[in-house]
Amino acid sequence: MKRLCLILLIPLLTGCWDSENIEELSLVVGVGIDKSKKDDEIMLTQQILVPPGNSVQENQAQLKYKNVTVSAQTLHEAIRDSLLITNTVLTNHQRIILINEDVLRKIPMEAIINQSIRDNNTRRSCHVYLTKRPTKEILGRSEDGEIPSNVIYELKDNEHRTNKILPPLTLGKASSNLQSDGSFAIQAVDIRGGKLILKGAGVINNSKLVGVMNDEDIAALNWLNGKVKGGIIEAVQHGKPLSVEVINRTRRKITTELNGDHLTINIEVGYTARLSEDWYGKENSFEKAYLKEVERIAEDEVKKDVKKIAYKLQHDYKTGVAGLYRYVQNQHPKFWEKNKNKWDEIFSKADINYEVDLRIVDFGSKGGIK
Amino acid sequence: MKSKPLHIKLDQKQEELKSELDMQDDVVFKQIFIPGYEVSGLFVFVNGTMDYRSFNEIVLDLSAAQVETRHRVSIEQLVISKICSVREQDVETYETAKEHIFDGKTLLFIDGMVKGYVLNLVKEKNRTFGEPSTERVVRGPKMGFIESLQENIGLIRQYSNHPSLIVQQQKFGTMEKREVALIYYEGKASDSLLKEVNKRINEVKATDLQDSGMLEELIEDTALTPFPQIQNTERPDKVLAALQEGRVVIMVDGSPFALMAPTTITMLLQSPDDYYERWVAGSFLRIIRYLSLFVTVFLSGIYISLVSFNPGLLPSELAMTIAGTRENVPFPPFVEAIIMEVTIELLREAGIRLPSPIGQTVGLVGGVIIGQAAVQANIVSSLMVIIVSITTITSFTVPQYSFGLAFRALRFGAMIFAAVLGLYGTTLFFIIVISHLSKLTSFKEPYFQPMDFIGKKTWKDAFLRLPKRKKGGDSFGPVRRQNS
């Protein structure tokens, strides 16, 4: 019994060295990285949740977050400097990282996310966004006391309804992309009409920002990749607009062919769709031929867009943002081993054949003249 | 004075007894005169232990006796024939006479005869059979044991009339002698078990028992554990099921609780109405019970470790809510939890001791008002109150009260481990509890038994209550491995 007591007392010697109560921590939900006024420093803005307090009355009209901004040469130094202002920082709950365009123009992306990747507390599922405006402004833009970081984070759930959003770029994915071919697109955030909005994207190549895309480009890029999960194809028939909503992907096949050093990429995607809107007065959805016609028009529309973005990628950005390199790597490993440093060049010269097959399986509750 | 033989003369006897029992005011001496034989008799008994109606009948019988002229009957024969229905044995000495008097028997002495007759006119003071208050079921028999051993055994015999049901009785104690009964099915209970039970019982025979709980403590495998290694019950149906499983039932006179051995942890989590309701409902409730056991022990510990050590594991929104409720609380979560848990335990203890209408008020005042006030005064966070309430409610779902007590105590262990080592400590505590349970035995049978039943068919009855096949003639009962 005496021995048992002694054993039980041992833990008391250690104390509770890791114990830190949750209300004494600063829960960081979002981080913004800007350029500082000083030339060699970066400015870190941390969005920290402020507990809503106990009583109900206090709850209303109170902002539920605060932003802490500090400048330092490295990110970690900046985080440590922020401790002069606020409680111990806990980055476990961090959901987004915003990076200003100016920063990316000057500093390689790999360096910027380096601290977050090395740190085991920051989750690799944290999303990375690009901003044109200073991140400090974006993180300060709040409506009805909502937390800007959460607003941005939750917008990505609309992926299934619109194709103008890029698939979320997580910290982990960004890191692994940077490790491999180093080119990818990154969703941008902006403010319009006082509201936060997902708008456009940046193209990263070799850790540098090489260009920006608009919403249509994003949609086209999603089509090229076969990453579309929803959204509308707008087309015109008989001079009247119509829209086709994408339901599901039924097929995606990407093959690469080599002819010497010349690469041909064949992309085939198939989708089921729904005729969701048609302004043409004499439409007859009961007619199979009519639906076929609509399908053809929508397919043409997609192909036109894809052609445009392919051209842009190959000639303006000169980089294979779409992640197509993986198919070359898999299908022609020897060629890839030899030429992986010249990938951008090879991609720029490659032929891209794109085929899309839309099948309208539904035209809603209304159709026909009867 | 030891074993002093009785005097022949009635007056001498009375004097001798009176002088020996002069301190005892409740010993009654009643003279009787039998006119037909012209002899007097003396009844000696302790007031209050005797059934006056049967006493009156005997008195009437004796005093109305006439001398038959055709067949002369001696006074001895007459008395014996009149009292034969209640006569137990005869006494020769004052010592044995005294013993019998305090045993509740009535003594009859006749003038001119040395020996005295012991009449069993004992009236047992019992309450009536009622619903077992500690183990209520919604569906199933509503009969519970009472404090009389003979009545309880009668109850068991009534439902199980098989001749191989063995009842062995022996006396226990030094000052007060108590009957202890050992009940089992011959052939079903294994010989090694019976040997072990008998050995342990014989070792502790010289103990005064007030309740079967005292016997339980003396014959259990080890005292260094919070878990009860012997199951107790007030329900005859549970006892019958245990008997059919080949377990041994021990009952003590004066205690409505029967002991059943050996016991495994799963048995303590089974309620009889699992078997009386449909199997889906039974299985569901059983799973709920396992879950609530886990919640009872670990919820407060997990809360403490999440709040003070691993806040990253909480969903962000929940982390915000918790941080909000804890904003103005001056104590660390561990102290907060201890305050609340101890308060609840106090309330529970107070509620049990008080008469039931007041007990409920205490529960209400304590639970609702103190909880609310403590939150408003910022002494504890509102979430802590919720967590403590949940652990309290879940601890009540354990069908066996003593088993629930064990887990209530273990909860504090989990909280201490959580406060020192966080989630790692909580896991550590879980491992310690599990390994302790694995080591534990009940009458040399593994306590954690059904866990190794995976692969054998009996696991069905451990976590779930799956439907039973129809068995011709055989009785229903939880399937259990026979170790013979």
Side-chain angles (χ1 to χ4, degrees):
Chain A
M1 204 62 204
K2 219 179 223 169
R3 260 187 300 163
L4 192 75
C5 285
L6 281 175
I7 291 168
L8 287 177
L9 282 174
I10 289 173
L12 296 180
L13 295 174
T14 65
C16 319
W17 69 81
D18 268 346
S19 169
E20 195 135 27
N21 292 341
I22 194 165
E23 72 274 14
E24 286 150 15
L25 295 169
S26 296
L27 303 185
V28 175
V29 271
V31 157
I33 300 161
D34 289 312
K35 264 189 59 125
S36 175
K37 278 172 200 133
K38 274 193 212 161
D39 223 23
D40 56 345
E41 286 192 352
I42 47 171
M43 192 161 74
L44 175 77
T45 306
Q46 287 173 307
Q47 185 145 72
I48 291 163
L49 294 175
V50 177
N54 229 345
S55 73
V56 189
Q57 282 84 11
E58 282 175 41
N59 219 338
Q60 287 143 4
Q62 189 196 6
L63 287 183
K64 289 187 283 182
Y65 68 92
K66 62 177 177 186
N67 289 345
V68 171
T69 307
V70 278
S71 292
Q73 206 166 1
T74 62
L75 270 178
H76 205 190
E77 181 61 20
I79 292 173
R80 288 292 178 256
D81 282 352
S82 72
L83 298 185
L84 302 173
I85 308 172
T86 183
N87 281 336
T88 312
V89 168
L90 179 82
T91 50
N92 278 157
H93 293 290
Q94 187 178 328
R95 293 175 139 184
I96 59 164
I97 297 179
L98 302 176
I99 305 172
N100 190 267
E101 277 185 16
D102 298 337
V103 180
L104 274 185
R105 290 227 162 79
K106 215 182 143 221
I107 307 168
M109 183 156 179
E110 210 159 358
I112 291 171
I113 63 167
N114 197 285
Q115 191 271 332
S116 310
I117 289 290
R118 281 173 194 262
D119 178 21
N120 281 337
N121 278 323
T122 314
R123 290 182 187 162
R124 282 173 74 88
S125 59
C126 163
H127 292 176
V128 186
Y129 293 98
L130 191 71
T131 65
K132 198 171 201 151
R133 293 163 193 257
T135 59
K136 202 180 164 188
E137 194 184 330
I138 299 221
L139 287 176
R141 174 67 58 176
S142 163
E143 252 191 20
D144 305 331
E146 282 195 74
I147 298 157
S149 302
N150 285 352
V151 173
I152 296 169
Y153 181 80
E154 274 150 21
L155 278 177
K156 68 115 194 0
D157 293 341
N158 297 335
E159 213 190 341
H160 295 274
R161 298 260 173 252
T162 172
N163 50 23
K164 289 174 186 165
I165 301 177
L166 280 174
L169 177 73
T170 61
L171 204 54
K173 219 154 73 180
S175 164
S176 73
N177 280 341
L178 287 168
Q179 300 288 321
S180 48
D181 82 322
S183 78
F184 54 91
I186 170 172
Q187 178 72 50
V189 184
D190 208 348
I191 299 173
R192 196 168 67 189
K195 282 195 168 70
L196 292 166
I197 177 178
L198 294 180
K199 189 167 163 243
V203 179
I204 304 280
N205 191 15
N206 291 328
S207 273
K208 283 263 155 52
L209 185 69
V210 294
V212 285
M213 297 197 281
N214 60 20
D215 286 351
E216 276 68 40
D217 292 339
I218 293 177
L221 184 63
N222 280 337
W223 275 112
L224 176 66
N225 282 339
K227 291 258 172 71
V228 172
K229 283 180 181 157
I232 305 292
I233 305 162
E234 274 181 346
V236 177
Q237 188 201 21
H238 304 297
K240 303 275 183 189
L242 64 84
S243 44
V244 173
E245 189 184 19
V246 176
I247 302 175
N248 264 328
R249 191 173 72 201
T250 51
R251 155 188 161 78
R252 180 173 72 166
K253 195 173 179 199
I254 299 176
T255 52
T256 51
E257 285 167 28
L258 268 181
N259 186 7
D261 271 356
H262 185 74
L263 183 70
T264 310
I265 305 171
N266 302 308
I267 304 170
E268 288 170 44
V269 288
Y271 277 92
T272 53
R274 187 168 79 96
L275 180 59
S276 57
E277 198 176 351
D278 194 350
W279 291 21
Y280 180 48
K282 288 176 193 159
E283 59 98 27
N284 185 3
S285 304
F286 289 108
E287 199 76 38
K288 219 167 191 169
Y290 181 81
L291 288 181
K292 281 268 173 265
E293 181 63 20
V294 173
E295 281 174 12
R296 198 188 53 76
I297 292 168
E299 281 169 10
D300 285 349
E301 194 68 29
V302 171
K303 275 188 230 167
K304 202 175 78 199
D305 288 348
V306 167
K307 211 166 195 173
K308 253 197 268 174
I309 191 68
Y311 181 88
K312 241 185 181 172
L313 289 177
Q314 288 182 310
H315 297 93
D316 292 357
Y317 312 137
K318 294 196 173 58
T319 181
V321 172
L324 293 170
Y325 76 93
R326 286 181 201 281
Y327 296 92
V328 183
Q329 189 181 11
N330 287 346
Q331 290 167 9
H332 307 285
K334 275 183 195 153
F335 173 76
W336 173 257
E337 272 310 311
K338 219 163 41 187
N339 296 302
K340 72 179 159 189
N341 297 329
K342 289 195 291 177
W343 166 242
D344 287 345
E345 195 187 314
I346 290 162
F347 176 76
S348 303
K349 286 179 188 153
D351 286 336
I352 299 178
N353 300 322
Y354 186 78
E355 276 306 321
V356 59
D357 173 34
L358 285 175
R359 206 151 49 81
I360 293 178
V361 294
D362 180 13
F363 49 83
S365 315
K366 196 230 170 213
I369 314 150
K370 288 148 268 187
Chain B
M1 204 192 80
K2 272 257 154 67
S3 62
K4 193 173 170 186
L6 293 168
H7 293 85
I8 294 178
K9 283 286 215 185
L10 197 60
D11 298 349
Q12 283 175 312
K13 273 182 195 153
Q14 186 168 352
E15 225 140 272
E16 179 73 34
L17 276 172
K18 265 194 175 158
S19 70
E20 267 191 44
L21 302 172
D22 61 344
M23 306 245 302
Q24 309 281 6
D25 291 339
D26 60 344
V27 176
V28 181
F29 296 85
K30 286 251 194 266
Q31 290 264 6
I32 181 182
F33 186 67
I34 308 169
Y37 288 83
E38 294 197 351
V39 286
S40 47
L42 178 70
F43 286 104
V44 187
F45 54 89
V46 176
N47 206 359
T49 60
M50 187 189 52
D51 185 16
Y52 267 92
R53 280 220 346 240
S54 28
F55 176 65
N56 273 345
E57 274 170 29
I58 287 171
V59 171
L60 276 176
D61 254 14
L62 282 175
S63 47
Q66 295 294 322
V67 184
E68 293 276 339
T69 41
R70 275 176 294 168
H71 313 284
R72 270 199 68 87
V73 182
S74 73
I75 175 72
E76 191 175 354
Q77 284 166 324
L78 173 94
V79 169
I80 287 172
S81 71
K82 297 285 182 200
I83 63 170
C84 74
S85 63
V86 290
R87 179 182 167 205
E88 275 203 335
Q89 66 197 90
D90 306 336
V91 286
E92 308 270 349
T93 62
Y94 285 110
E95 198 55 37
T96 44
K98 253 168 67 184
E99 257 175 42
H100 283 294
I101 289 168
F102 289 113
D103 207 20
K105 307 282 161 53
T106 307
L107 258 62
L108 173 61
F109 301 106
I110 304 290
D111 197 14
M113 283 193 285
V114 176
K115 61 185 176 187
Y117 302 104
V118 177
L119 311 185
N120 187 1
L121 300 176
V122 178
K123 181 186 171 193
E124 277 203 33
K125 276 154 282 300
N126 285 332
R127 72 190 158 97
T128 47
F129 290 106
E131 196 179 351
S133 55
T134 56
E135 294 160 276
R136 295 235 176 106
V137 294
V138 175
R139 185 174 170 185
K142 305 265 179 182
M143 184 94 96
F145 287 130
I146 56 169
E147 282 77 3
S148 160
L149 179 65
Q150 297 318 318
E151 296 283 334
N152 291 344
I153 291 173
L155 203 58
I156 295 171
R157 285 271 191 209
Q158 183 186 331
Y159 294 126
S160 166
N161 45 16
H162 203 278
S164 65
L165 179 78
I166 309 290
V167 178
Q168 290 175 344
Q169 293 192 35
Q170 40 196 315
K171 289 243 189 222
F172 255 66
T174 49
M175 297 291 284
E176 29 178 284
K177 298 277 185 194
R178 293 245 185 178
E179 288 278 342
V180 170
L182 190 68
I183 309 167
Y184 58 92
Y185 266 120
E186 197 176 21
K188 284 210 172 189
S190 71
D191 292 338
S192 54
L193 173 65
L194 284 173
K195 231 171 90 186
E196 185 68 27
V197 172
N198 272 317
K199 198 188 101 199
R200 290 190 192 182
I201 283 183
N202 286 330
E203 277 169 8
V204 295
K205 249 181 158 175
T207 325
D208 295 314
L209 302 171
Q210 270 85 52
D211 188 83
S212 57
M214 297 176 74
L215 182 63
E216 175 184 340
E217 201 180 330
L218 292 169
I219 60 173
E220 68 187 359
D221 289 49
T222 170
L224 289 176
T225 172
F227 299 104
Q229 297 137 62
I230 298 171
Q231 194 180 2
N232 63 65
T233 183
E234 277 191 276
R235 303 185 57 85
D237 52 336
K238 251 185 166 173
V239 163
L240 289 165
L243 289 171
Q244 276 156 10
E245 284 166 17
R247 296 160 73 194
V248 170
V249 173
I250 302 160
M251 296 189 87
V252 176
D253 194 18
S255 168
F257 289 95
L259 303 179
M260 298 179 280
T263 304
T264 65
I265 192 164
T266 49
M267 286 172 191
L268 296 171
L269 280 171
Q270 295 169 355
S271 174
D273 51 351
D274 290 356
Y275 296 97
Y276 305 149
E277 285 294 348
R278 295 190 49 72
W279 69 272
V280 179
S283 302
F284 171 69
L285 292 176
R286 205 167 270 185
I287 291 167
I288 291 272
R289 244 175 260 140
Y290 275 98
L291 195 74
S292 68
L293 205 62
F294 182 81
V295 169
T296 306
V297 182
F298 291 106
L299 187 66
S300 357
I302 289 172
Y303 172 78
I304 290 171
S305 37
L306 284 181
V307 168
S308 4
F309 290 87
N310 313 80
L313 293 179
L314 290 163
S316 304
E317 279 83 3
L318 186 60
M320 275 314 293
T321 315
I322 293 176
T325 60
R326 287 200 36 81
E327 188 74 337
N328 298 317
V329 177
F331 302 115
F334 174 66
V335 176
E336 197 190 359
I338 288 283
I339 291 175
M340 266 336 264
E341 296 280 10
V342 168
T343 312
I344 286 282
E345 292 298 324
L346 286 175
L347 285 171
R348 215 192 287 198
E349 189 62 16
I352 291 173
R353 302 293 157 235
L354 286 169
S356 57
I358 307 177
Q360 283 172 7
T361 322
V362 167
L364 201 73
V365 169
V368 179
I369 299 177
I370 294 186
Q372 184 69 26
V375 169
Q376 277 178 358
N378 279 328
I379 295 195
V380 294
S381 66
S382 45
L383 203 68
M384 195 67 234
V385 175
I386 296 172
I387 283 170
V388 170
S389 318
I390 291 174
T391 56
T392 311
I393 294 166
T394 50
S395 72
F396 283 129
T397 59
V398 180
Q400 184 82 37
Y401 180 71
S402 47
F403 195 48
L405 281 178
F407 283 97
R408 268 158 70 180
L410 282 180
R411 187 171 49 178
F412 288 93
M415 274 155 56
I416 292 167
F417 268 79
V420 175
L421 291 168
L423 218 49
Y424 167 70
T426 314
T427 318
L428 209 61
F429 187 72
F430 181 73
I431 295 170
I432 290 173
V433 171
I434 292 291
S435 47
H436 172 68
L437 278 172
S438 315
K439 216 187 107 206
L440 212 57
T441 55
S442 166
F443 282 85
K444 297 197 167 160
E445 286 239 23
Y447 193 60
F448 221 27
Q449 190 148 240
M451 302 303 171
D452 69 16
F453 280 7
I454 308 279
K456 299 171 191 174
K457 284 208 170 140
T458 29
W459 67 269
K460 279 189 197 171
D461 205 53
F463 305 108
L464 300 173
R465 211 283 281 174
L466 295 184
K468 300 221 176 299
R469 293 259 171 77
K470 286 190 182 70
K471 285 192 274 179
D474 207 337
S475 50
F476 286 105
V479 186
R480 213 179 133 262
R481 185 177 63 174
Q482 300 290 317
N483 61 348
S484 52

